[in-house]
Amino acid sequence: MRSKIVAGNWKMNNDANASKTLANELVAGLKDKSLQNTRVVVAPTFVNLTAVHEVVSGSVVEVAAQNMHQAKSGAFTGEISAEMLTSIGLKSVILGHSERREYFGETDALLAEKVTAALANGLEVIFCFGELLEDRKSENHFAVVESQISNALFSLDAGAWKQLVLAYEPVWAIGTGETATADQAQEMHAFIRKIVADKYDAALAEEVSILYGGSCKPGNAKEIFSKEDVDGGLIGGAALQAADFIAIIEAIQ
Ligand code: 13P
């Protein structure tokens, strides 16, 4: 059975103290909850990964990085490699976030390289994609999502998919307060599962967790998560408050 996952992408928020405080609040708030087949992941900034990892050690909370460089090492000032992430005990990395695509020029081709490097180092990849508002208005959203997934992921062999989590994040819903309706999310998630089944096979597609991201909040999480092909969420703003993030985790139980 595929896992349910609620992941918090902290983006460029929370200094060292705030990161540790939030991590401590999550550990305390989740301590007595029995989570059924549900993983909880947080993705702090690079400089706070180690501290947060220490705080959550022994708890249900896992830690992911928000990005990484595709090379093993070398003259890439300011960058972080997959090996550096695994060397501090991390098991997951987010790749392909729309903010990386939009503000840092990350292309499908570059993301394919990053995914390959992450998987080769044993990291799980939470791979993000999603259409712009104009794509949806022009009814191009399925084609855009299909090309993002196929360009970055469809050259992988079937075995690699065990290390992949997909995150559909319609760009028009990120940080805007505007959410895809539960039906829009379900429609896209079912489409994604179908293209993966067509490329690989139905059993593989059934095992892939597909998260929804984009203004997911305590008030709308339950309805979105109730949909058959929605296996959890990648949460931005609402992951910055422990109470909200925990309420979203409870919404998937
Ligand atoms: P918001 O939840 O703030 O819309 O952000 C979603 C997101 O980008 C998660 O990666």
Side-chain angles (χ1 to χ4, degrees), residues 2-44:
R2 57 185 183 254
S3 315
K4 295 175 183 174
I5 302 173
V6 180
N9 176 7
W10 293 0
K11 305 191 180 182
M12 198 174 74
N13 293 296
N14 292 334
D15 65 11
N17 275 333
S19 297
K20 281 186 273 187
T21 301
L22 178 53
N24 269 310
E25 287 170 354
L26 292 176
V27 170
L30 293 169
K31 186 163 52 88
D32 298 324
K33 304 210 186 297
S34 74
L35 304 179
Q36 304 298 323
N37 184 35
T38 304
R39 292 172 54 198
V40 176
V41 181
V42 294

Side-chain angles (χ1 to χ4, degrees), residues 160-182:
W161 279 72
K162 290 193 176 62
Q163 284 167 260
L164 282 181
V165 171
L166 303 183
Y168 169 55
E169 299 206 303
V171 177
W172 48 272
I174 296 178
T176 58
E178 183 157 351
T179 342
T181 64

Side-chain angles (χ1 to χ4, degrees), residues 8 14 40 45 47 54 74-76 146 158 229:
N14 292 334
V40 176
T45 55
V47 288
E54 272 168 27
F76 300 103
E146 181 163 11
D229 288 297

Side-chain angles (χ1 to χ4, degrees), residues 9 11 97 99 169 173-176 213-217 234-238:
N9 176 7
K11 305 191 180 182
H97 194 280
E99 289 147 18
E169 299 206 303
I174 296 178
T176 58
S215 298
C216 189
K217 312 264 183 240
L234 183 54
I235 318 299

Side-chain angles (χ1 to χ4, degrees), residues 68-73 80-86 93 95 109-125 152 156 163:
M68 50 157 259
H69 193 271
Q70 64 278 17
K72 211 173 151 61
S73 61
I80 307 281
S81 71
E83 278 182 2
M84 291 167 190
L85 299 179
T86 58
V93 61
L95 292 175
L110 174 68
L111 290 167
E113 283 186 54
K114 289 193 177 199
V115 169
T116 301
L119 298 178
N121 281 279
L123 286 166
E124 169 188 71
V125 173
L156 297 170
Q163 284 167 260

Side-chain angles (χ1 to χ4, degrees), residues 48-65:
N48 293 309
L49 284 169
T50 302
V52 168
H53 197 229
E54 272 168 27
V55 171
V56 303
S57 120
S59 80
V60 295
V61 182
E62 304 169 36
V63 181

